[in-house]
Amino acid sequence: MVLQVNKVLIYNERAVCRKKRWVQAATDETRNRHVPGWLQEVERRLQKNLHTSLSVISFVVEFIAMKRSPLTLLLLVCSSAFAQHNISFKIDGFSNKYYGLVSVRDTADVFKAGTVKVFDKTTKKELFHTTSDELTFDLHNGQVKANILEAPYGEQSLIIYEDFNFDGVKDFALMDGQNSCYHGPSFQVWLAQGAGFKRSEAFTRLAQEYCGMFVVNQKDKVLETMTKSGCCWHQFSRFKVENGQLKTLSVEESSLSNMEPYFEEVSQQTWVNGKEEHTLKQYMSEQADTLFSFTLAKNGKQVVVFHVGGESEFLFYALCQKDGSVEFSYPEVVYDEKKQENVGGVMNYGNGRLAFKNEEASYEVYDEGNGKIGVKVLCDGKNYVFEGLAASVKGGLDGLKEVEKKNLKKVL
């Protein structure tokens, strides 16, 4: 019969106590006998944070193994297991005027049900609070500290006290759970107003819809946020405060293309004097494996011949600007529905030269030895020669003799 104890009875105190006949019998039994030491120890352990299903079930098993009375067990569960106590920590040292208090039900769990409050030190009056089932904080020498903000993934305090709107007066942000990206910490924001504080919906949204609390850049007088989706898409935004209102300064999105050579694509929107500007750039990914590269003497741009690791199907050429962005690349890899495979333009290698062409021009990268390197371009019937700096050379075209790619043809 004991093995059939319903876990619903364990979690619902009222349901257990409605079983008056069982409880009364257990009470009669325990009233007339000495409570042994093992039972006192079990009761002590039940009273100490015993409210999770695994803990309760484990103690049920202990009782059964000891062949003790199931009625005694039921009485203990009813009287002790559900007795919840709050543990409180004062949060101080961040202000001469205010202090905080966090009260939680269980400090053993990562996420704790509880309340965060802010008080006036002089009047002891509560100013505002948040309540959540998912508060989280670290103890520093037994204390809970304010104003720790290791954005976006590190520790973030329950209370952030800082000037968010750059008016010279500090404001409050209180954690209200884990509502930001990837179940990260989120906050409610109160801005200083007159002699008190007023909750701000606009600033609160910045602390809810991105990854964790926004960062206050006091030097540039801007607020910065970040959010993401998976490994390969990130968004970084910057906001200014104008006449008390939030205005978007810039939104930058970066993502990796899903086709070789997996360029990082960076899109940036900026607003200057009310006008929107948009730029789109590509950068070589960290996966790129350079086989041959050098810098052009005339303009400082970099020529790169590369592939994307040993499993890459294609060989690539890229011309990169001084800021690292890709100005031109070849080939463009696409999926051929008819062939049911990825295809890319052909590149021919032989006699220290790598040649390819597109609809606009023909290109030839040469490596003649003794520092004679460069790129020859034939466009509209005209030849252009861009020499490279010998001191900038890394690798060499000779390495292509050992490389096998779908789009690489060798004439040796």
Side-chain angles (χ1 to χ4, degrees):
M1 181 182 71
V2 177
L3 292 176
Q4 301 300 320
V5 174
N6 193 322
K7 65 179 180 180
V8 174
L9 299 181
I10 296 176
Y11 281 106
N12 192 326
E13 182 179 3
R14 289 176 297 176
V16 173
C17 292
R18 278 198 293 266
K19 305 296 183 179
K20 294 181 179 180
R21 180 168 54 83
W22 291 7
V23 174
Q24 185 61 49
T27 303
D28 293 341
E29 179 181 352
T30 55
R31 183 185 297 123
N32 297 321
R33 66 182 178 84
H34 172 69
V35 180
W38 69 266
L39 187 54
Q40 296 177 14
E41 174 63 15
V42 170
E43 182 171 9
R44 183 188 68 80
R45 292 169 64 183
L46 279 168
Q47 291 174 341
K48 184 180 180 181
N49 300 326
L50 180 60
H51 62 270
T52 64
S53 60
L54 288 178
S55 299
V56 174
I57 291 172
S58 69
F59 277 97
V60 171
V61 174
E62 286 186 34
F63 266 82
I64 295 171
M66 295 175 187
K67 298 182 180 179
R68 301 298 179 177
S69 168
L71 298 178
T72 302
L73 167 63
L74 192 58
L75 179 62
L76 280 175
V77 169
C78 182
S79 63
S80 301
F82 295 98
Q84 296 181 345
H85 60 283
N86 285 351
I87 299 178
S88 298
F89 298 91
K90 187 176 181 179
I91 307 173
D92 207 348
F94 62 88
S95 169
N96 293 326
K97 296 181 179 180
Y98 311 104
Y99 70 91
L101 184 70
V102 56
S103 298
V104 293
R105 296 176 188 166
D106 178 21
T107 57
D109 296 336
V110 174
F111 301 113
K112 312 161 184 65
T115 302
V116 183
K117 298 179 180 180
V118 172
F119 294 86
D120 185 295
K121 283 188 174 182
T122 301
T123 65
K124 310 300 181 183
K125 179 182 178 182
E126 178 190 325
L127 303 182
F128 40 79
H129 71 272
T130 57
T131 300
S132 172
D133 290 332
E134 294 187 306
L135 298 177
T136 181
F137 56 87
D138 293 333
L139 291 177
H140 299 266
N141 295 322
Q143 296 182 335
V144 178
K145 292 187 174 297
N147 287 345
I148 297 175
L149 182 55
E150 299 172 350
Y153 306 124
E155 181 182 354
Q156 300 187 26
S157 292
L158 296 170
I159 296 177
I160 305 294
Y161 182 59
E162 192 170 352
D163 182 7
F164 301 144
N165 56 356
F166 312 108
D167 63 354
V169 184
K170 290 186 177 182
D171 311 293
F172 275 101
L174 271 60
M175 186 182 295
D176 70 346
Q178 309 295 309
N179 304 309
S180 68
C181 83
Y182 288 86
H183 199 246
S186 55
F187 296 80
Q188 296 286 324
V189 177
W190 282 265
L191 298 180
Q193 189 174 88
F197 296 87
K198 182 178 180 181
R199 182 183 174 278
S200 169
E201 178 64 27
F203 281 78
T204 294
R205 287 183 60 187
L206 290 190
Q208 298 276 333
E209 299 178 356
Y210 299 88
C211 290
M213 179 64 181
F214 53 80
V215 174
V216 181
N217 185 332
Q218 292 288 358
K219 179 181 178 181
D220 297 335
K221 304 298 181 184
V222 297
L223 306 178
E224 300 171 345
T225 64
M226 189 279 282
T227 189
K228 60 173 288 185
S229 178
C231 68
C232 305
W233 181 86
H234 295 78
Q235 183 189 79
F236 304 88
S237 302
R238 288 163 58 90
F239 303 85
K240 67 176 181 178
V241 182
E242 189 175 278
N243 298 322
Q245 303 297 314
L246 287 170
K247 302 290 184 180
T248 305
L249 284 176
S250 65
V251 178
E252 180 181 294
E253 295 181 2
S254 67
S255 61
L256 288 182
S257 61
N258 58 6
M259 195 74 73
E260 283 193 56
Y262 309 119
F263 283 142
E264 180 185 4
E265 299 176 348
V266 178
S267 169
Q268 188 173 56
Q269 291 174 278
T270 57
W271 286 263
V272 180
N273 298 324
K275 295 183 178 180
E276 180 180 350
E277 298 179 0
H278 184 269
T279 60
L280 178 62
K281 293 185 177 182
Q282 291 183 320
Y283 297 85
M284 293 178 60
S285 73
E286 296 180 354
Q287 304 175 57
D289 185 1
T290 299
L291 302 172
F292 180 47
S293 70
F294 57 88
T295 301
L296 296 178
K298 185 176 181 178
N299 52 30
K301 296 178 181 180
Q302 188 176 42
V303 171
V304 186
V305 177
F306 69 101
H307 63 157
V308 190
E311 298 182 0
S312 172
E313 295 183 291
F314 301 92
L315 183 70
F316 296 93
Y317 165 91
L319 179 65
C320 299
Q321 298 185 22
K322 291 181 179 181
D323 65 357
S325 61
V326 178
E327 178 180 316
F328 169 76
S329 67
Y330 180 91
E332 179 183 2
V333 177
V334 296
Y335 183 74
D336 189 312
E337 292 284 354
K338 187 175 182 179
K339 294 181 179 180
Q340 295 290 292
E341 64 177 4
N342 294 332
V343 297
V346 174
M347 305 181 82
N348 297 289
Y349 169 70
N351 300 319
R353 284 168 167 73
L354 180 66
F356 56 92
K357 63 180 180 180
N358 57 20
E359 295 180 354
E360 299 176 353
S362 297
Y363 301 83
E364 182 181 274
V365 182
Y366 63 89
D367 180 10
E368 299 176 352
N370 298 319
K372 294 183 178 181
I373 53 174
V375 180
K376 296 178 181 179
V377 181
L378 174 62
C379 181
D380 295 331
K382 295 182 180 180
N383 287 300
Y384 302 89
V385 179
F386 300 90
E387 295 181 347
L389 296 173
S392 68
V393 174
K394 293 181 181 180
L397 287 181
D398 282 348
L400 295 180
K401 294 178 181 178
E402 308 300 325
V403 174
E404 298 295 333
K405 300 295 177 185
K406 287 173 65 172
N407 67 325
L408 178 60
K409 293 186 177 181
K410 302 176 185 178
V411 183
L412 303 177

